[in-house]
Amino acid sequence: MLSRTRFFFTKNSFVLNTLVQTKGCRLSIPTSIHHYHHSTIGTTTTKPLFKLNHFISSIQSRFYSTIPLQTSNTTPSSSSSSILTNTEKLKFTNGSNPISPKLVGYWLVGTSTLVFGIVVLGGLTRLTESGLSITEWKPVTGALPPLSQEDWEIEFTKYKDSPEFKQLNSHINLEEFKFIYSMEWGHRLVGRGIGLFFLLPAIIFWSRGKFSPHITRSVIGLTGLLGLQGFIGWWMVKSGLDQDQLNQRNSKPTVSQYRLTTHLGAAFLMYLGVLGTAFEILNENKWAKLSKTAPETVKSIFIKLQSPSIKKTRLMATGLLCLTFLTAMSGGMVAGLDAGLIYNTFPHMGDDIIPSYSELMSPVFARSEDKSDLWWRNILENPTTVQLVHRIFATTTYFTILAAQIYVKKNKVLLPKAAVRSMHGMWAFANVQVALGIFTLIYLVPIPLGAAHQAGALALLTTCLMFAARLKKPRPEALNYINKLMKDQLLKSRV
């Protein structure tokens, strides 16, 4: 850039900003690929300078720059007014904060905590065999429990008509029924509470403009998933109340393992979506705060996150998240088939590491006459094979996390410190989860260990998500905004 005195500035952003705002001083920007214009006394000449592309790339590579350079055919006589107009536009564009406030992030963290709790409560409902005690789905009126002895008798009569009571629980009395009913009712009530806790603040935040467009889209998607989860829950319960479906599956009165895993998977996805959005908001707010107090720290973090050298680590983090999720879903299939109640030894399954092929691929589970569904039905419906699949997934996940831990420790200088700490936490939770899984199996799935193992799966998934979130590239809108904050801070320090 040239001032009227033909003094050349390229590095000092403070000087450039001062010149733009100083009356009587005009800056001219090269406007063609091979030429620049400057004014002299009485004449205007055109002289070759250098390629504008090189000039633009050198300016745009500056870390603190947030002003996009544009080429035009603006003449020197009109450059002053055009720069003023562009400056006003930039102030308007960058004046809006693309980062949602921390309060939104804390609200999402609170929601994810409730989702974590209801997943554990759902596991307890399953382990106490309480899930089929309420035979109707009443989203609104069902929020009230039976309030009188007569109400309890009516509910107990409805339960007596269910396949579970007729085939498994005909021996229980009203007091025992009250316990299992209360477990299922509490599970459904917490689900309703989560819906209110999520929706009411979302409406308030949205009406007050606390959501950026990016967060608005995420919240709309999560709201849809939350509503779908309630429907999936009843769809799951229905599979254990319909005698025709039980006959088709040749099953005792229990919910379908497919629907149970779908219900569990939707809850896990809701949890990941809410917590992932919270991590993004809180990370961006942390960077924005540090940009005012420790800009060099933020600059170092951004350089690492945008470096091509961590692309492999970022892909590895995504792979670990997906693998851990699939392992948890295979655990849902184990729970749905009560497959944890057989082969209660580790690492052996019976006398061998792996049962015989005839047991893993039993023709009993095939339904088609030509046995064409033998392979996939055994993998998804044979308790022995389902438990083996879960063991394989769990072992693979454990050693993959171990390899990732070694890799991150070796390359920790390339990664943000927060990401390295998350990896260490993931490795610690992986060890705890494997121990919980083994003890749950050996001791025939006691309720406390079974619930702890399910909670451990979600905790391990949380550390995977945290690791991936701390390696995620900053959004361009947030990056530009934080760069502007650092630039403003630099200008203030030089005044």
Side-chain angles (χ1 to χ4, degrees):
M1 292 185 181
L2 294 169
S3 71
R4 179 173 291 182
T5 60
R6 299 178 63 188
F7 195 89
F8 193 69
F9 300 94
T10 57
K11 298 295 184 182
N12 197 322
S13 59
F14 174 75
V15 174
L16 291 175
N17 188 62
T18 303
L19 290 175
V20 170
Q21 299 178 3
T22 301
K23 185 176 181 180
C25 178
R26 181 175 73 245
L27 300 179
S28 80
I29 302 175
T31 57
S32 66
I33 299 291
H34 302 288
H35 298 80
Y36 75 95
H37 297 278
H38 69 91
S39 62
T40 60
I41 301 175
T43 62
T44 300
T45 61
T46 301
K47 296 183 180 181
L49 186 60
F50 51 87
K51 290 186 177 181
L52 181 61
N53 290 342
H54 176 73
F55 177 81
I56 291 177
S57 63
S58 66
I59 295 299
Q60 287 181 331
S61 65
R62 285 178 49 77
F63 183 77
Y64 293 113
S65 174
T66 60
I67 301 177
L69 296 177
Q70 298 179 349
T71 60
S72 66
N73 294 324
T74 306
T75 60
S77 61
S78 62
S79 62
S80 181
S81 60
S82 65
I83 289 176
L84 181 60
T85 303
N86 290 337
T87 303
E88 291 173 347
K89 289 180 180 178
L90 287 168
K91 285 182 178 179
F92 175 79
T93 302
N94 294 330
S96 57
N97 188 347
I99 301 175
S100 296
K102 284 195 297 184
L103 183 60
V104 176
Y106 292 145
W107 159 65
L108 291 173
V109 169
T111 303
S112 68
T113 303
L114 291 176
V115 175
F116 190 104
I118 199 174
V119 169
V120 177
L121 180 58
L124 287 171
T125 304
R126 168 70 183 173
L127 290 167
T128 56
E129 299 183 350
S130 305
L132 298 177
S133 57
I134 301 179
T135 58
E136 296 175 318
W137 187 39
K138 297 179 179 179
V140 179
T141 58
L144 293 176
L147 300 176
S148 65
Q149 183 68 17
E150 183 182 358
D151 292 338
W152 278 112
E153 292 288 351
I154 292 174
E155 292 299 326
F156 193 30
T157 301
K158 293 177 182 177
Y159 179 64
K160 287 180 179 179
D161 291 332
S162 69
E164 184 178 66
F165 179 84
K166 293 177 180 178
Q167 300 178 34
L168 299 176
N169 287 344
S170 58
H171 61 281
I172 70 171
N173 56 34
L174 180 60
E175 292 302 316
E176 291 171 320
F177 169 72
K178 287 182 179 181
F179 171 76
I180 61 175
Y181 185 98
S182 298
M183 288 292 298
E184 175 63 11
W185 177 81
H187 179 62
R188 297 188 186 190
L189 182 66
V190 173
R192 293 182 177 95
I194 292 175
L196 293 175
F197 185 86
F198 183 77
L199 289 176
L200 294 181
I203 294 172
I204 295 172
F205 285 137
W206 176 78
S207 64
R208 296 183 178 179
K210 300 296 184 181
F211 288 160
S212 65
H214 172 68
I215 298 301
T216 300
R217 291 190 294 270
S218 297
V219 170
I220 291 174
L222 292 171
T223 301
L225 184 58
L226 181 62
L228 181 64
Q229 177 69 339
F231 171 78
I232 293 175
W234 172 247
W235 177 65
M236 174 191 70
V237 171
K238 187 67 176 176
S239 67
L241 298 173
D242 189 341
Q243 186 61 53
D244 291 337
Q245 292 190 40
L246 294 174
N247 293 337
Q248 185 180 7
R249 302 198 316 263
N250 193 24
S251 170
K252 64 178 184 179
T254 184
V255 299
S256 164
Q257 74 273 21
Y258 299 111
R259 299 189 184 189
L260 173 67
T261 305
T262 303
H263 187 52
L264 181 67
F268 273 42
L269 288 176
M270 179 72 188
Y271 176 80
L272 291 175
V274 171
L275 191 59
T277 305
F279 281 158
E280 182 177 73
I281 293 173
L282 295 178
N283 281 339
E284 291 176 352
N285 276 276
K286 180 181 178 181
W287 295 333
K289 183 178 179 180
L290 283 175
S291 67
K292 300 177 182 179
T293 58
E296 290 302 321
T297 301
V298 180
K299 178 179 178 181
S300 175
I301 293 173
F302 282 1
I303 288 174
K304 288 181 178 181
L305 291 178
Q306 293 179 303
S307 172
S309 60
I310 71 166
K311 182 178 180 180
K312 184 184 297 185
T313 310
R314 189 177 290 117
L315 291 173
M316 179 181 68
T318 304
L320 285 173
L321 185 63
C322 295
L323 183 59
T324 306
F325 181 84
L326 289 174
T327 303
M329 294 305 100
S330 69
M333 297 293 288
V334 170
L337 292 169
D338 291 326
L341 299 177
I342 60 175
Y343 288 112
N344 303 104
T345 55
F346 188 86
H348 288 75
M349 294 182 70
D351 296 330
D352 301 314
I353 297 291
I354 299 176
S356 64
Y357 179 83
S358 60
E359 186 174 359
L360 293 174
M361 292 294 158
S362 172
V364 172
F365 295 93
R367 297 183 190 177
S368 61
E369 294 182 0
D370 58 356
K371 308 297 182 184
S372 59
D373 58 348
L374 174 70
W375 184 78
W376 69 267
R377 284 198 181 277
N378 273 277
I379 288 179
L380 298 176
E381 299 178 4
N382 184 341
T384 300
T385 311
V386 168
Q387 189 191 120
L388 177 62
V389 168
H390 183 58
R391 289 187 182 214
I392 292 172
F393 266 116
T395 304
T396 303
T397 301
Y398 179 78
F399 285 105
T400 303
I401 292 176
L402 172 60
Q405 162 75 359
I406 295 172
Y407 178 84
V408 167
K409 190 174 182 179
K410 182 179 179 181
N411 298 276
K412 62 181 180 181
V413 69
L414 302 175
L415 306 175
K417 292 182 180 180
V420 176
R421 289 194 297 268
S422 298
M423 185 69 245
H424 296 335
M426 188 194 309
W427 171 237
F429 272 101
N431 283 281
V432 172
Q433 178 65 351
V434 167
L436 285 172
I438 293 173
F439 284 117
T440 300
L441 183 69
I442 291 175
Y443 289 102
L444 298 176
V445 197
I447 292 176
L449 279 177
H453 186 50
Q454 183 162 327
L458 203 52
L460 179 59
L461 201 63
T462 302
T463 60
C464 294
L465 178 65
M466 186 179 297
F467 180 58
R470 290 177 173 175
L471 290 173
K472 185 179 179 181
K473 282 185 177 181
R475 294 184 300 119
E477 299 87 353
L479 181 63
N480 288 339
Y481 176 75
I482 295 171
N483 279 347
K484 181 180 181 299
L485 292 179
M486 290 190 287
K487 177 184 175 182
D488 292 344
Q489 188 68 21
L490 178 64
L491 294 178
K492 290 179 182 179
S493 66
R494 292 185 178 182
V495 172

